[in-house]
Amino acid sequence: MTNKRGEETRQLIKKSACSLFAGKGFKQVTMKDICEAANLSRGGLYCHYGSTREIFREIINNFMIQQGDSFSEKIEHQLSAKEILNEVLEKYKNEMLDSQSSLSLALYEYFSIDNTETGNELCAQYTASFNAWQTLLEYGIKNGEFHHVDIKSVFDLIIFSYQGVRMYSKIMPIDEDIPQRIIDQIKKIIVKE
Amino acid sequence: MTNKRGEETRQLIKKSACSLFAGKGFKQVTMKDICEAANLSRGGLYCHYGSTREIFREIINNFMIQQGDSFSEKIEHQLSAKEILNEVLEKYKNEMLDSQSSLSLALYEYFSIDNTETGNELCAQYTASFNAWQTLLEYGIKNGEFHHVDIKSVFDLIIFSYQGVRMYSKIMPIDEDIPQRIIDQIKKIIVKE
Amino acid sequence: MTNKRGEETRQLIKKSACSLFAGKGFKQVTMKDICEAANLSRGGLYCHYGSTREIFREIINNFMIQQGDSFSEKIEHQLSAKEILNEVLEKYKNEMLDSQSSLSLALYEYFSIDNTETGNELCAQYTASFNAWQTLLEYGIKNGEFHHVDIKSVFDLIIFSYQGVRMYSKIMPIDEDIPQRIIDQIKKIIVKE
Amino acid sequence: MTNKRGEETRQLIKKSACSLFAGKGFKQVTMKDICEAANLSRGGLYCHYGSTREIFREIINNFMIQQGDSFSEKIEHQLSAKEILNEVLEKYKNEMLDSQSSLSLALYEYFSIDNTETGNELCAQYTASFNAWQTLLEYGIKNGEFHHVDIKSVFDLIIFSYQGVRMYSKIMPIDEDIPQRIIDQIKKIIVKE
DNA sequence: TATGAATGAGTCTTCATTCAT
DNA sequence: AATGAATGAAGACTCATTCAT
């Protein structure tokens, strides 16, 4: 492969840029910052990417692909709804506290600047996430493990409180108990007993 | 008062800047932008404020002062807990949808840049808000209008889902029903019947 | 006048830029060159003009205004056609040799880059010049001083040979006699005897 | 020959570059442009040429060699002076209108930048061209086909009006009749009857 | 020969900030 | 208080040019 070298550099750039975006948000990261972080010359960086937007776009594409809460697999593996719920909420809890690696702020900035092509990826992600949760909740309700909750409402509550905390955790010291309290409350709403 | 004129100018600057911050976030607003929006010369602006941070700080101070959910007054006026809750949730709902005038993004950026002196105002606001809600919830519980909920948990759920929606509404088209669903769900958690 | 200072600077910029354009053509002059020539900082220059095109445009506008061969005035002053012809050809001759101050090359470059809005000024100038010459030639022919030449043809020959020499004088050492020979030949075509 | 392939590439480069020079002038063509036009990598181009000047020089050398109005051959073939004149003026006329393929602007820029080594080729071309025309005109005059014109003057008029039109045709829409009028006028000057 | 990654210099452009008026 | 000209630094971007492969 002739482009082995190039691909490595691209990875390096993305990795370096990602740290910067997580740390400073989108707008406050410059091409110069990225050059320096990736230990690359100005022109060298421009060989691969023409702007911070371009780099960021690639990062979040990779990111969103690997994301995606898909519960169906687990359901097929005969896990109980409650177990799956516990697992995902645990994951959420950890993410809420992991302000370091969170791209939340950068994502908000990125999508808020120049709203033209925007929003679609986010909408898509929102929808995908909703579908996954719907599957899980219906499964739990059918099983008799979960209450007869309104799926949409519960989903919104989960997703937006999660996002809200992620956001805040970037800008103020968040009491470590907050994520725990939130997921406990959510469980209380959903799970019988 | 000799500084009548000066005060007017300051108000004008803050008003103009506020629109800009609401529209573009914090970092993407420059002193130059504000000059133009306020129809003021470069030097003129600098007579009053030395940086965008300074202007922004004053805006949010005013803002936080006028904010503050204080329910105690209403409680004294013998309103039922349920009525007060409905009122405040209605207010929240409207704010969630009012992406135009929301400073969310700007606030996040402001507080995320240069974390030194930061966070304190937000913490203070969080605490103040918590105290207010605590008062309300205890009042409702004592009255027998509300369930015996865990106050902290419910408060977190409310406040962060509210913040999450405000954030998202700035960057993607938010289904109008979402705020309604969220407050309905919250009521369900809190209110008996 | 508050803009006295600014106007002076603008004049200075145009003067400096004009020398540069005359010396190096259009494209090879950078904003940096102009800054230095005008002894102005980068930002200072940008206060007044946003690009070399903008500066150049203003220069040629001024230039074209002051230009314009208008013979009608002279005709009214009862000068003979031959005298007027001699005068203008003498002027042309001197301009042909004055390669230093000639903007020819710069003009060509300017108009050849990005042909959108282009050509119109040149067309206008060509037409205006033609009208002037038409007046003169008809006057001379009516007087009996000039041959019955085809006005358009003679005009084209004059104007394009003039332009051709101006161009060449910028890029190769032009024999000083060439302009003289050309205007002599033109006279021979036009003037009786 | 091992350099067959290399020679092909050089031709390709020159061909691609020539279109670019004709279209955009000399200075505005970059090595990068040429790479892209020739569908060659950066390094590949540098294997053959070190700069745009080098490429351009080779182009115009080829060009000037194939050029050269040489009338002597035709004179030996017993063509009448008038016929030869008609032929060459017809050729000139077509070239004047063929703004697409004209290198005029590029030539001017090339020779105007960095005047050190410059001008010589142009001078040589001017002289060669003059010699050819001198031969033709003397031939016609001796034949009695042409007037007793001043050879130098007529030559200058021809060559510079020709160049003037070529130049202008690159930068403004030229009336198609102009070249015709010019050559007609020239014929009128030269040819008897 | 040819590729394309990388460098580094040069220019463009935008702003925060200062200052004489 | 207010104007707007001017400065200088920072960052964006483009290329000529080199070099390992």
Side-chain angles (χ1 to χ4, degrees):
Chain A
M1 284 178 218
T2 47
N3 58 350
K4 184 94 175 296
R5 173 93 171 286
E7 192 45 42
E8 268 168 32
T9 308
R10 291 171 79 90
Q11 291 303 336
L12 173 63
I13 291 169
K14 279 187 281 186
K15 214 183 110 206
S16 311
C18 197
S19 307
L20 291 169
F21 287 131
K24 307 205 287 179
F26 174 70
K27 191 66 185 303
Q28 18 282 322
V29 174
T30 69
M31 287 299 263
K32 198 186 161 217
D33 292 334
I34 298 172
C35 291
E36 281 159 15
N39 215 13
L40 208 62
S41 71
R42 240 19 184 288
L45 176 54
Y46 276 92
C47 278
H48 301 286
Y49 297 99
S51 67
T52 53
R53 293 195 80 73
E54 210 174 310
I55 301 171
F56 193 74
R57 193 155 32 221
E58 221 172 282
I59 289 171
I60 55 175
N61 280 344
N62 290 177
F63 188 71
M64 289 188 170
I65 286 163
Q66 70 172 72
Q67 283 255 316
D69 312 297
S70 178
F71 305 130
S72 35
E73 204 187 332
K74 286 167 186 164
I75 292 173
E76 280 162 16
H77 280 53
Q78 308 278 0
L79 290 175
S80 76
K82 213 168 143 183
E83 280 168 325
I84 301 173
L85 181 72
N86 281 337
E87 232 172 70
V88 67
L89 289 180
E90 198 60 26
K91 195 188 89 184
Y92 278 22
K93 189 181 79 178
N94 293 327
E95 287 173 4
M96 284 193 245
L97 284 171
D98 182 15
S99 73
Q100 264 313 300
S101 68
S102 163
L103 286 173
S104 306
L105 181 60
L107 277 164
Y108 289 122
E109 280 184 64
Y110 174 78
F111 285 117
S112 78
I113 300 169
D114 179 29
N115 264 41
T116 44
E117 23 109 36
T118 287
N120 304 310
E121 290 98 329
L122 286 178
C123 286
Q125 211 191 2
Y126 173 83
T127 306
S129 197
F130 173 70
N131 290 334
W133 277 92
Q134 186 173 30
T135 309
L136 175 61
L137 293 174
E138 282 174 351
Y139 172 62
I141 292 168
K142 213 184 312 168
N143 272 357
E145 295 178 82
F146 294 170
H147 292 297
H148 271 276
V149 295
D150 179 64
I151 292 175
K152 275 191 175 173
S153 301
V154 168
F155 170 71
D156 285 337
L157 203 61
I158 293 169
I159 218 65
F160 289 113
S161 56
Y162 164 78
Q163 297 290 359
V165 176
R166 289 211 87 180
M167 203 68 231
Y168 262 82
S169 73
K170 300 273 311 173
I171 58 179
M172 81 178 215
I174 282 274
D175 180 351
E176 291 221 347
D177 301 336
I178 289 177
Q180 188 62 55
R181 285 205 294 270
I182 285 182
I183 69 165
D184 286 347
Q185 187 62 41
I186 287 168
K187 280 186 207 164
K188 217 176 287 173
I189 296 166
I190 297 174
V191 183
K192 283 186 178 169
E193 218 71 341
Chain B
M1 286 182 209
T2 47
N3 58 349
K4 182 93 174 297
R5 172 88 176 290
E7 193 44 43
E8 268 169 31
T9 308
R10 290 173 77 88
Q11 290 303 335
L12 173 64
I13 291 169
K14 280 187 281 185
K15 212 182 115 212
S16 310
C18 197
S19 308
L20 290 170
F21 287 131
K24 306 203 290 177
F26 175 69
K27 190 63 185 301
Q28 17 281 322
V29 174
T30 69
M31 289 298 266
K32 200 188 161 211
D33 291 334
I34 298 172
C35 290
E36 280 158 18
N39 220 6
L40 209 64
S41 70
R42 275 312 225 293
L45 176 55
Y46 275 90
C47 284
H48 299 285
Y49 298 99
S51 67
T52 54
R53 293 196 78 74
E54 211 175 309
I55 301 171
F56 193 74
R57 194 154 33 224
E58 221 172 283
I59 288 171
I60 55 174
N61 281 343
N62 291 177
F63 188 71
M64 289 188 171
I65 288 162
Q66 72 173 72
Q67 282 254 318
D69 312 298
S70 178
F71 306 129
S72 38
E73 201 186 334
K74 285 167 188 167
I75 291 171
E76 281 161 16
H77 280 53
Q78 308 277 1
L79 288 175
S80 77
K82 214 169 140 183
E83 280 169 326
I84 301 173
L85 180 72
N86 281 337
E87 231 172 69
V88 67
L89 288 180
E90 199 61 28
K91 195 188 88 184
Y92 278 21
K93 189 182 80 179
N94 294 328
E95 287 173 5
M96 284 194 245
L97 284 171
D98 183 16
S99 73
Q100 268 310 303
S101 68
S102 163
L103 286 174
S104 307
L105 182 60
L107 277 164
Y108 290 119
E109 280 184 66
Y110 174 79
F111 285 117
S112 77
I113 300 170
D114 178 29
N115 263 40
T116 45
E117 24 114 31
T118 288
N120 305 310
E121 291 97 327
L122 286 178
C123 284
Q125 206 190 8
Y126 174 82
T127 307
S129 197
F130 174 70
N131 290 335
W133 276 92
Q134 186 172 33
T135 311
L136 174 61
L137 292 174
E138 283 175 350
Y139 172 60
I141 292 167
K142 211 183 316 166
N143 270 358
E145 295 178 81
F146 293 169
H147 291 297
H148 270 277
V149 294
D150 178 65
I151 291 176
K152 275 191 177 173
S153 299
V154 168
F155 171 70
D156 286 336
L157 205 59
I158 293 170
I159 218 66
F160 289 112
S161 57
Y162 164 78
Q163 296 290 358
V165 176
R166 292 211 84 181
M167 202 67 230
Y168 262 81
S169 72
K170 301 263 323 165
I171 57 179
M172 81 178 214
I174 282 275
D175 180 352
E176 291 222 345
D177 301 337
I178 289 177
Q180 187 62 55
R181 284 204 295 268
I182 286 180
I183 68 165
D184 286 348
Q185 187 64 40
I186 288 168
K187 280 187 206 164
K188 219 176 286 175
I189 297 166
I190 298 174
V191 184
K192 282 187 178 168
E193 219 72 341
Chain C
M1 283 180 216
T2 46
N3 58 349
K4 184 92 174 297
R5 173 93 171 289
E7 193 44 44
E8 267 167 33
T9 307
R10 292 171 77 88
Q11 290 303 336
L12 173 63
I13 291 170
K14 278 187 281 186
K15 214 182 109 208
S16 312
C18 198
S19 309
L20 290 169
F21 287 132
K24 307 206 287 177
F26 175 70
K27 190 67 185 301
Q28 18 282 322
V29 174
T30 69
M31 288 298 264
K32 199 189 161 213
D33 292 334
I34 298 172
C35 291
E36 282 160 14
N39 217 10
L40 207 63
S41 70
R42 241 19 186 288
L45 176 54
Y46 276 92
C47 278
H48 300 287
Y49 296 98
S51 67
T52 54
R53 294 196 78 74
E54 212 175 310
I55 302 172
F56 193 75
R57 193 156 32 223
E58 221 172 282
I59 289 172
I60 56 175
N61 281 344
N62 292 177
F63 187 72
M64 289 187 170
I65 286 162
Q66 71 173 69
Q67 282 256 318
D69 312 297
S70 179
F71 305 129
S72 37
E73 203 186 331
K74 286 168 186 165
I75 292 172
E76 279 162 16
H77 281 52
Q78 307 278 1
L79 289 175
S80 77
K82 214 168 141 182
E83 280 170 325
I84 301 172
L85 181 71
N86 282 336
E87 231 172 70
V88 66
L89 287 180
E90 198 61 27
K91 195 188 91 186
Y92 277 22
K93 189 182 77 178
N94 293 328
E95 288 173 3
M96 283 194 246
L97 285 172
D98 182 16
S99 73
Q100 266 311 302
S101 69
S102 163
L103 286 174
S104 306
L105 182 59
L107 277 164
Y108 289 121
E109 281 184 63
Y110 174 78
F111 284 117
S112 78
I113 301 170
D114 179 30
N115 264 42
T116 44
E117 21 108 37
T118 287
N120 304 311
E121 291 96 328
L122 285 178
C123 285
Q125 210 191 3
Y126 173 82
T127 306
S129 197
F130 174 70
N131 291 334
W133 277 91
Q134 186 173 31
T135 310
L136 174 62
L137 292 175
E138 282 175 350
Y139 173 61
I141 292 168
K142 213 185 311 165
N143 271 359
E145 295 180 82
F146 292 170
H147 292 297
H148 269 278
V149 295
D150 178 64
I151 291 175
K152 273 189 176 174
S153 299
V154 168
F155 171 71
D156 284 338
L157 204 61
I158 292 169
I159 218 66
F160 288 113
S161 55
Y162 164 79
Q163 296 290 359
V165 176
R166 291 211 86 179
M167 205 66 231
Y168 262 81
S169 72
K170 299 274 309 174
I171 58 179
M172 81 179 214
I174 281 275
D175 180 352
E176 290 222 347
D177 302 336
I178 289 177
Q180 188 62 56
R181 284 205 295 270
I182 285 182
I183 69 165
D184 286 346
Q185 187 63 42
I186 287 168
K187 280 188 206 161
K188 217 177 286 175
I189 297 167
I190 298 175
V191 183
K192 283 185 177 168
E193 220 68 343
Chain D
M1 285 180 209
T2 47
N3 58 350
K4 183 95 177 295
R5 172 87 177 290
E7 190 46 41
E8 266 169 32
T9 308
R10 291 173 77 89
Q11 289 302 337
L12 173 64
I13 291 170
K14 279 187 281 186
K15 212 182 115 210
S16 310
C18 197
S19 308
L20 290 170
F21 288 131
K24 307 203 289 178
F26 175 70
K27 191 63 187 303
Q28 16 281 323
V29 174
T30 69
M31 288 297 265
K32 199 187 162 212
D33 291 334
I34 299 172
C35 291
E36 280 159 16
N39 220 6
L40 209 62
S41 71
R42 274 315 223 292
L45 177 54
Y46 275 90
C47 284
H48 298 285
Y49 297 98
S51 69
T52 55
R53 293 197 78 74
E54 212 175 309
I55 301 171
F56 194 74
R57 193 153 35 219
E58 222 172 282
I59 289 171
I60 55 175
N61 280 344
N62 292 177
F63 188 71
M64 288 187 171
I65 287 163
Q66 70 172 75
Q67 282 254 317
D69 310 299
S70 178
F71 305 129
S72 37
E73 202 186 333
K74 285 167 186 164
I75 292 172
E76 279 161 18
H77 279 54
Q78 307 279 0
L79 289 174
S80 76
K82 214 169 142 183
E83 279 168 326
I84 302 172
L85 180 72
N86 281 338
E87 232 172 70
V88 67
L89 289 180
E90 198 60 26
K91 197 189 87 184
Y92 277 23
K93 190 182 79 179
N94 293 327
E95 288 173 4
M96 283 193 245
L97 284 171
D98 183 15
S99 72
Q100 268 310 301
S101 68
S102 164
L103 287 173
S104 307
L105 181 60
L107 279 164
Y108 289 120
E109 280 184 66
Y110 174 79
F111 285 116
S112 77
I113 300 170
D114 178 28
N115 263 40
T116 44
E117 23 115 33
T118 287
N120 305 310
E121 290 97 328
L122 285 178
C123 285
Q125 207 191 6
Y126 174 81
T127 307
S129 197
F130 174 69
N131 290 334
W133 276 91
Q134 187 172 28
T135 310
L136 175 62
L137 292 174
E138 282 174 351
Y139 172 62
I141 293 168
K142 211 183 315 165
N143 270 0
E145 293 178 83
F146 293 170
H147 292 296
H148 270 278
V149 295
D150 178 64
I151 290 175
K152 275 191 175 173
S153 300
V154 168
F155 172 69
D156 285 338
L157 203 61
I158 292 170
I159 218 65
F160 288 112
S161 56
Y162 165 78
Q163 296 290 0
V165 176
R166 290 212 86 179
M167 201 68 230
Y168 262 81
S169 72
K170 301 260 329 162
I171 58 179
M172 82 179 215
I174 282 275
D175 180 352
E176 291 222 346
D177 301 336
I178 289 177
Q180 187 63 55
R181 285 204 294 268
I182 285 182
I183 68 166
D184 286 346
Q185 187 63 41
I186 287 168
K187 280 187 206 164
K188 218 177 285 175
I189 297 167
I190 296 174
V191 183
K192 284 186 177 166
E193 218 72 342

